[in-house]
Amino acid sequence: MNNENIIEIKDLKKTYENGVIKALDGINLEIKKGESISIIGPSGSGKSTLLNMIGALDKADEGHITVAGMDLMQKEDLSKFRLNEIGFVFQLHNLIPNLTVLENVQTPLIETDIPDKKMEERALEILKSVNLTDKINQKPTKLSGGERQRVAIARALVNHPSIILADEPTGALDSKTSDIILELLLDIHKKENVTLIMVTHEHNVAARAHRSIYVLDGKIKEEKINSAS
Amino acid sequence: MKFRNLILKNIFRNKSRSILAVIGIAIGVAAVVGLGLITDDLTQSTESALTAGAADFSVINSTNSPSGSGGGGGFGNDQLINQAAVGQIQQVKGVSSAVGELRTSTNLGNSTSSNSSSSSGFGANFRSMTNIIGIDSSDLSMDDIAITNGTAFSNANQVIIGQDAAQRLNKTVGSTITISNKTFTVSGIYETGNFMDDRGIVMSLPALQNLTGNTGQVSLILVKASNGTDPTALASTIQQNYANDLSTSTSLSGNNRMNNGLQVISSGAWAVSLLAILIGGIIVIVTMMKAVSERTREIGVLRAIGWTQRRILGMIIGEALVLSLIAIVVGLLLAVGIVELISLTHLLRGINPSFSLLLILKGIGVALFLGIIGGIYPAYRASRLSPTEALRYE
Ligand SMILES: Nc1ncnc2c1ncn2[C@@H]1O[C@H](COP(=O)(O)OP(=O)(O)OP(=O)(O)O)[C@@H](O)[C@H]1O
Ligand SMILES: [Mg+2]
């Protein structure tokens, strides 16, 4: 065990449909605290499954996975772990349509015992950092795709997680907006020293991370250190 | 943002569905409360029928009750009692008063009296038949008859009529009424609280004896026990003393009929209430299931950002409970509306709906029950959703 590793994965396996689909077929991966990782690979190769395992959204069948000091193979409720350590950003923003931007960002905090006033302050502060101060009382339906994704990022950050998991965060955006969102994620990663793991189809996006991991048929086929970062 | 604010906001998200769920719960509340108002009111009048003045039991000709059990009180093929027996019963120790009464029924529609003295009971033609009671005006209280309008009959040409009969026959004090070709004047309107007897006509005993040709005879003897005497024991003493001739019924035939009627109504009310609760429950479950399945992805997201299963469960049940609270108000209003409507149609004797605390609590109980039952299964399903599958949901 390396103390610097925030994530350690050994021979991780996950099947679906009674073993017919091998979504993960023996993953071995170590990620250091504060690192940025991009995961690439064809559709159905297991990228989202791997991300969901790290985020404790699902349980693996075999192997070992430790994230932020927590052994995720233990059978117990991991919602508190997700609340405290993980910030998820999805391809589609997945905001709650009847809540305002400010309220959406506060939703994770409902699980905490932070007082109302403090919750709002924290959400405002994060929304300021993603440049959305003027939209806090809007409903998500009134926002552009890029703005919605910024709200989703703010929601992922509101609990000060140690890892941000982004599953194709720019997948639904045009290239200009994609760049803005990508820069925002990298900026937060650097400033807050948050570990960033993002799944992407675009090689130029992947190249912005410290390390790119190429997944094929549930296995890591190739790893590459990116010189640019 | 508070959790409860989120729940409230979710209620207004899909208004038509929330309205549907509220209606579902309100149907259950309205049925239970509305029918409760009616049965409560009828029960109350039954209780007022059993006032202190009323007789404790009645004595009939023993051939009318072959089983000897004394219940029932029907006079199917009635044999009458010689009026002399009234005086004899009056002498029995423990009897406070014994009063002879003649009962018959007639179809006022074609003015022909049925001479068989058959009491209507729940006979086939019970709607068209009018009960006629012959009793001395000083003994009206034995039958729990209270004059509400006018005065009691003071001679053989006067009658008093029940408030329902007055309404049905369109008669009032001073009107004339022809029974078996003899014309009587209505001297008063009475009420017994017994909706069967309120359909009747009462005249003096000799007048009815004359009219039916049953001079010196009565259908039954109403007996009231003196203070300190157990009416049931007294009834069985009389039963033994006159084993061959008379038989006693421990509760008054009228009250028995009444209680039977009340039982039919209240079990009908129960059946309707249960059906309404069932329908309400199904509506709530279906609408809440829809609310959950529409939000599958969202529930996946909430789980991903750290919400516990308990929180998801609490959110859905909370939504169902808020809908229940709204439905309580809607349901109570609906109940009052229904009862008002029923009393307008004169389907039942004038109803004075009065909300008892118990009834309101029942309504609240039904609403909360439906809310929790309707919410718990969808909430359970929502909380058990696998986050990854919920996120993959299209
Ligand atoms: N909950 C599930 N039930 C059944 N099969 C699943 C489930 N989740 C993933 N799979 C299957 O596992 C495999 C890997 O899926 P995964 O979503 O990880 O792929 P991916 O690399 O993210 O693909 P994409 O680029 O299209 O998002 C696929 O064959 C997918 O159909
Ligand atoms: Mg994927």
Side-chain angles (χ1 to χ4, degrees):
Chain A
M1 258 269 197
N2 186 332
N3 272 344
E4 272 182 57
N5 287 339
I6 192 165
I7 297 167
E8 295 193 348
I9 299 173
K10 275 201 186 75
D11 295 324
L12 202 68
K13 290 185 181 170
K14 176 71 180 179
T15 62
Y16 288 109
E17 315 284 344
N18 295 319
V20 177
I21 298 172
K22 290 183 176 171
L24 295 182
D25 195 16
I27 296 279
N28 288 288
L29 183 62
E30 292 185 357
I31 297 173
K32 287 191 182 64
K33 196 171 181 334
E35 222 182 334
S36 62
I37 305 284
S38 56
I39 302 175
I40 50 171
S43 180
S45 56
K47 304 183 295 294
S48 296
T49 306
L50 177 58
L51 210 67
N52 290 343
M53 291 298 157
I54 295 169
L57 271 187
D58 208 349
K59 285 244 151 58
D61 302 331
E62 276 176 57
H64 299 279
I65 176 166
T66 305
V67 178
M70 175 77 78
D71 178 0
L72 299 186
M73 298 304 282
Q74 273 174 249
K75 218 180 155 70
E76 66 168 275
D77 180 32
L78 290 163
S79 35
K80 279 271 148 12
F81 165 81
R82 288 197 293 272
L83 179 69
N84 295 323
E85 305 291 345
I86 309 291
F88 270 107
V89 180
F90 302 98
Q91 173 171 13
L92 293 168
H93 57 86
N94 287 321
L95 300 173
I96 299 180
N98 60 318
L99 299 184
T100 64
V101 164
L102 185 59
E103 288 166 337
N104 261 290
V105 173
Q106 289 176 67
T107 46
L109 300 177
I110 286 177
E111 269 303 337
T112 67
D113 42 22
I114 297 169
D116 276 12
K117 193 105 189 112
K118 206 63 191 244
M119 272 193 203
E120 207 174 293
E121 275 170 22
R122 231 161 122 182
L124 279 171
E125 185 189 317
I126 306 273
L127 280 166
K128 197 175 161 195
S129 71
V130 297
N131 260 325
L132 277 175
T133 317
D134 52 333
K135 304 273 163 129
I136 54 166
N137 291 319
Q138 298 266 28
K139 296 277 167 70
T141 43
K142 294 265 166 69
L143 303 180
S144 72
E147 285 168 336
R148 288 179 202 178
Q149 206 58 311
R150 265 144 70 196
V151 179
I153 290 169
R155 180 179 63 187
L157 289 174
V158 77
N159 247 347
H160 302 310
S162 50
I163 304 167
I164 291 180
L165 302 175
D167 196 346
E168 300 184 44
T170 61
L173 304 174
D174 61 68
S175 64
K176 210 172 149 213
T177 320
S178 281
D179 285 346
I180 298 170
I181 295 300
L182 180 63
E183 292 310 327
L184 180 64
L185 281 171
L186 290 170
D187 198 44
I188 290 161
H189 152 70
K190 271 182 207 134
K191 272 194 199 144
E192 316 274 329
N193 196 29
V194 193
T195 308
L196 174 67
I197 305 174
M198 54 182 175
V199 171
T200 182
H201 278 299
E202 294 150 88
H203 283 273
N204 61 322
V205 173
R208 299 295 307 274
H210 292 143
R211 197 154 43 122
S212 293
I213 290 164
Y214 181 67
V215 178
L216 187 69
D217 296 335
K219 293 189 181 77
I220 294 177
K221 272 271 169 283
E222 206 184 315
E223 281 193 35
K224 191 174 122 199
I225 307 288
N226 294 311
S227 50
S229 56
Chain B
M1 185 183 47
K2 287 194 168 66
F3 185 42
R4 60 162 188 268
N5 293 356
L6 178 72
I7 288 172
L8 286 176
K9 289 200 172 201
N10 282 342
I11 296 297
F12 292 101
R13 203 153 146 183
N14 189 331
K15 289 189 191 74
S16 52
R17 198 182 38 230
S18 291
I19 289 169
L20 191 63
V22 165
I23 289 172
I25 301 171
I27 287 172
V29 175
V32 169
V33 175
L35 293 167
L37 281 172
I38 293 169
T39 44
D40 272 12
D41 191 59
L42 291 176
T43 310
Q44 226 161 40
S45 52
T46 315
E47 275 159 8
S48 75
L50 300 167
T51 47
D56 293 314
F57 57 90
S58 61
V59 177
I60 56 172
N61 194 312
S62 59
T63 54
N64 293 334
S65 68
S67 67
S69 68
F75 294 90
N77 43 359
D78 294 1
Q79 290 299 308
L80 300 178
I81 306 169
N82 190 316
Q83 206 172 339
V86 179
Q88 287 169 26
I89 300 243
Q90 179 73 67
Q91 299 309 311
V92 175
K93 191 172 173 293
V95 171
S96 158
S97 54
V99 169
E101 174 182 302
L102 186 61
R103 276 179 176 255
T104 183
S105 65
T106 186
N107 192 331
L108 287 176
N110 53 23
S111 276
T112 51
S113 164
S114 126
N115 247 9
S116 68
S117 296
S118 70
S119 161
S120 65
F122 279 104
N125 52 357
F126 116 101
R127 278 188 162 275
S128 58
M129 300 303 274
T130 303
N131 286 343
I132 303 182
I133 297 171
I135 190 168
D136 284 343
S137 64
S138 56
D139 297 326
L140 289 175
S141 68
M142 287 289 271
D143 247 341
D144 215 0
I145 290 168
I147 310 284
T148 56
N149 231 331
T151 58
F153 42 87
S154 51
N155 60 51
N157 297 318
Q158 289 182 336
V159 294
I160 54 172
I161 61 176
Q163 57 178 23
D164 279 5
Q167 210 168 58
R168 254 168 7 115
L169 303 169
N170 198 18
K171 302 284 182 192
T172 175
V173 176
S175 302
T176 58
I177 188 166
T178 304
I179 306 166
S180 282
N181 301 323
K182 186 167 167 21
T183 303
F184 295 87
T185 309
V186 176
S187 68
I189 311 287
Y190 72 83
E191 181 187 32
T192 61
N194 172 331
F195 59 87
M196 288 307 303
D197 281 350
D198 284 354
R199 292 168 169 264
I201 295 173
V202 181
M203 61 180 75
S204 76
L205 181 59
L208 188 59
Q209 284 171 333
N210 275 339
L211 196 68
T212 57
N214 289 316
T215 316
Q217 299 202 294
V218 294
S219 307
L220 67 155
I221 303 168
L222 299 168
V223 181
K224 187 167 157 57
S226 52
N227 273 346
T229 304
D230 174 22
T232 316
L234 182 62
S236 50
T237 307
I238 293 172
Q239 174 93 53
Q240 275 161 21
N241 288 358
Y242 298 90
N244 295 326
D245 309 316
L246 301 177
S247 118
T248 57
S249 97
T250 43
S251 65
L252 274 172
S253 54
N255 286 334
N256 265 355
R257 285 208 312 268
M258 163 86 156
N259 285 334
N260 284 341
L262 198 63
Q263 244 160 41
V264 170
I265 289 171
S266 67
S267 46
W270 257 107
V272 173
S273 299
L274 278 181
L275 192 70
I277 290 173
L278 195 73
I279 292 169
I282 289 170
I283 293 176
V284 179
I285 290 182
V286 168
T287 51
M288 292 305 292
M289 279 310 284
K290 243 188 134 238
V292 165
S293 76
E294 262 172 32
R295 279 150 60 190
T296 301
R297 259 189 95 86
E298 184 181 308
I299 288 164
V301 173
L302 290 170
R303 298 278 286 126
I305 63 174
W307 277 34
T308 56
Q309 291 189 337
R310 284 246 307 269
R311 181 74 54 181
I312 303 284
L313 194 80
M315 179 174 75
I316 305 294
I317 290 181
E319 288 172 22
L321 282 180
V322 172
L323 293 173
S324 304
L325 294 182
I326 300 170
I328 289 171
V329 179
V330 176
L332 290 179
L333 291 176
L334 212 61
V336 176
I338 289 170
V339 172
E340 286 294 321
L341 215 69
I342 289 176
S343 51
L344 276 181
T345 58
H346 298 297
L347 267 174
L348 281 167
R349 190 181 55 76
I351 291 167
N352 318 304
S354 69
F355 279 101
S356 65
L357 183 66
L358 186 71
L359 205 52
I360 292 173
L361 287 178
K362 261 189 202 167
I364 293 172
V366 167
L368 294 182
F369 173 78
L370 283 178
I372 290 172
I373 289 296
I376 210 150
Y377 178 66
Y380 174 79
R381 286 282 300 267
S383 73
R384 296 303 300 258
L385 274 174
S386 138
T388 48
E389 269 170 51
L391 286 166
R392 282 164 59 92
Y393 186 85
E394 297 299 324

